[in-house]
Amino acid sequence: MTNKERKTFLLTYTKKMQVKRRTVQPALGQPSYRRQNSLSYYLKDEDGNIIEVCKENFTSTLGYCTNNDRVIRTVLKAENNALMPLDDRRGSHTPANKLDKSIVIDHINSFAPSIAHYRREHAPLRLYLPTDLNANIMYKHFQNIYGETWCSYDYYRTTLRDLNISFVKLGHEDCFVCEKSDLHFKSTDHKKNSLNEICVDCKQYERHILKAQQAREQYKADGAAANANGKPVFSGDLQKVIMLPRFESLKDVIFAQRLVAFHETFAPVGTKSKRKPLAILWHEAITGRSRVDIISTFYRFFLHNRDEPDIVLWLDNCSAQNKNWALYSMFAYVVNCKELSLDKLQVKYFEPGHTFMSADAFHHQVEKSLKEKHKVLDFNDFIECVKKSNSGKVDVAEMKLHDFLNWKDLASQYKITRATPRPYLKDIVYIEFNRGSLNMKYKQNFADELLIEVSFLTKKAEREKLSLPEPKTNPRGFPSLRKKSILENLSPIIPSSRLIFWQQLPEVEELGEDEED
């Protein structure tokens, strides 16, 4: 029962009466008797009849100590013979020392945390802060603004954690299923080397690990083939949060609302591969990282490898994203267009949580280059850092506005839902496209030998043939308030040769919801 319900029960099943008989006189010096009332206690029997019971029976039945009726007398005294108890007033007043959590939240959000791994199926709501920040630096900045005694570091750090915000860890990927299974193994007698055949959690872990191992073995086999015969095998991924300008030892830069730069990498697989990584770069004033933006970087990758007839591409498992069928529509175009020599495209997916690949290793090289540079004051400085990473063995493509095309999702949900078997993206580990066909072939397990073919494009797309979409014509723009803040606060430390980049950034008053990533 709630607190009020317990009080109601005590009022209902107790009765206060005048003392019927007294055997002693009032104590010397007291005007009246100490005991003013007698209490009777009642409970229902198994037939629902109300019967009188002793105090010990009543209190012990309700779970109270038999020789302590304080809770009963407190209720009767406080309610003053009322028919219903008063409402509980606990928590109705704001404590004098309560902190306004919104101030802490606003301060944390001022650092513009953003989604870093757009393909992380198990963490779609997690946000990340750039590598030149940490909780201690943020808290000290908070103290400088609101005073040292406003809130504790633990309170600030807890709020940061409650907002599901983390700091970037390059090459680090937590696995949701493995973490869940570890907790299951600790709470039961089931073990990794002795799984329970009828346990649902054990079966899920077994399938997860098997798919992760199969994907890793296939990845190593593709790397060996690339080493042996130079086969074009690449892994693709978007680097985590990059903020400009970057000046690690200067807090005024770290705490400024900065420009977000994007870096999509296509890195060769194989330790002895002679191919170079392709780094595709742009920033948020040009466009964001919506579905069409990411797909445009894939198309730029294919143009960079336009003479290759057969390409293998490794990606994170991204079944939770709505861009997939639009991406597959683009794949159907590139294997049938005249601009490319591509005859066969194979796309393979890792198991979520076990996705470390060559693109992540290259991102680590970029991060090292950024730290060695120390001062990355504009986008051109960032491009130079990427060019110097990996000992200079990298191709860099800077995306302009006209390079971003308005790719459309040409998939027919009517066909997809009625296909037999129906293709579920979360189960697909391999897809294949071949010149001369608009259909997609896929597998749900790397061990399967047969491919399942599915026609997924709309009839209109098949009838009219696929064509290159129109490019974007208007830049996304950089919020004018953020641009003004950078020019006013950082111009004294930014040379004129770098300041011109910030002055020429296209502006927008405020990003709409459809423009946010």
Side-chain angles (χ1 to χ4, degrees), residues 493-517:
I493 62 170
I494 298 180
S496 58
S497 58
R498 306 295 195 276
L499 195 61
I500 190 172
F501 166 79
W502 299 101
Q503 294 171 340
Q504 294 178 349
L505 278 178
E507 294 184 41
V508 64
E509 288 299 321
E510 187 175 354
L511 294 176
E513 292 184 2
D514 58 332
E515 295 174 295
E516 295 286 357
D517 298 307

Side-chain angles (χ1 to χ4, degrees), residues 258-456:
R258 297 175 282 174
L259 178 78
V260 180
F262 302 113
H263 172 203
E264 179 78 26
T265 297
F266 294 93
V269 177
T271 57
K272 299 180 181 179
S273 176
K274 296 182 180 181
R275 300 177 184 274
K276 297 179 182 179
L278 174 63
I280 301 177
L281 311 176
W282 73 103
H283 56 77
E284 63 173 317
I286 299 175
T287 190
R289 51 181 168 192
S290 64
R291 177 180 66 185
V292 297
D293 301 329
I294 297 299
I295 294 176
S296 296
T297 64
F298 276 75
Y299 181 65
R300 182 65 176 269
F301 161 75
F302 289 121
L303 291 178
H304 187 76
N305 295 275
R306 60 182 180 176
D307 296 325
E308 299 291 347
D310 185 358
I311 294 178
V312 177
L313 193 57
W314 278 92
L315 303 174
D316 286 351
N317 188 300
C318 49
S319 61
Q321 303 298 318
N322 62 358
K323 72 177 187 305
N324 282 272
W325 289 112
L327 181 64
Y328 296 163
S329 301
M330 188 271 288
F331 287 163
Y333 168 77
V334 296
V335 297
N336 289 282
C337 69
K338 297 180 180 180
E339 297 89 12
L340 305 174
S341 301
L342 187 63
D343 294 325
K344 182 179 180 181
L345 171 62
Q346 302 174 70
V347 181
K348 303 179 181 182
Y349 292 109
F350 287 101
E351 181 70 3
H354 301 264
T355 62
F356 186 78
M357 49 186 162
S358 58
D360 294 315
F362 179 71
H363 291 164
H364 178 66
Q365 296 294 328
V366 172
E367 187 64 28
K368 286 177 60 178
S369 180
L370 289 171
K371 290 184 177 180
E372 291 173 359
K373 179 75 171 176
H374 189 60
K375 299 179 184 179
V376 184
L377 300 180
D378 66 358
F379 188 66
N380 291 326
D381 281 350
F382 174 59
I383 295 176
E384 290 179 8
C385 289
V386 177
K387 288 181 177 179
K388 292 179 180 179
S389 59
N390 197 36
S391 301
K393 299 176 182 178
V394 55
D395 293 326
V396 176
E398 181 184 355
M399 295 286 283
K400 303 297 184 182
L401 181 62
H402 62 268
D403 294 321
F404 291 97
L405 310 179
N406 292 306
W407 296 96
K408 296 181 179 179
D409 182 356
L410 302 177
S412 169
Q413 293 301 319
Y414 179 85
K415 283 186 176 181
I416 293 171
T417 55
R418 286 161 177 77
T420 306
R422 179 179 175 177
Y424 289 97
L425 295 181
K426 65 182 180 63
D427 298 326
I428 293 178
V429 299
Y430 173 91
I431 61 173
E432 181 180 310
F433 290 87
N434 296 278
R435 185 172 289 272
S437 173
L438 296 177
N439 295 345
M440 179 183 79
K441 299 178 181 179
Y442 69 94
K443 290 195 294 187
Q444 297 178 337
N445 194 308
F446 282 112
D448 296 339
E449 295 184 0
L450 297 178
L451 294 173
I452 303 172
E453 186 170 359
V454 59
S455 173
F456 70 97

Side-chain angles (χ1 to χ4, degrees), residues 183-191 199 202:
L183 184 62
H184 169 70
F185 295 141
K186 290 178 181 178
S187 60
T188 64
D189 57 352
H190 304 167
K191 304 298 178 184
C199 175
C202 288

Side-chain angles (χ1 to χ4, degrees), residues 40 45 144 217 232 261 287 343 429 435 474:
S40 298
D45 63 9
N144 293 335
E217 291 173 359
T287 190
D343 294 325
V429 299
R435 185 172 289 272
N474 297 316

Side-chain angles (χ1 to χ4, degrees), residues 115-120 237-238 264 294 298 321 323:
I115 299 173
H117 253 318
Y118 69 99
R119 300 184 180 100
R120 289 186 75 165
D237 198 9
L238 185 71
E264 179 78 26
I294 297 299
F298 276 75
Q321 303 298 318
K323 72 177 187 305

Side-chain angles (χ1 to χ4, degrees), residues 104-116 120 123-130 133-135 138 156-169 241:
V104 181
I105 294 175
D106 291 342
H107 182 262
I108 293 173
N109 287 331
S110 68
F111 294 95
S114 59
I115 299 173
R120 289 186 75 165
L125 302 179
R126 181 168 290 278
L127 301 177
Y128 290 86
L129 289 166
L133 271 179
N134 58 53
M138 294 171 65
Y156 190 92
R157 190 69 181 88
T158 301
T159 305
L160 191 67
R161 184 179 65 248
D162 293 343
L163 294 175
N164 207 17
I165 296 175
S166 298
F167 297 95
V168 172
K169 294 182 180 178
V241 184

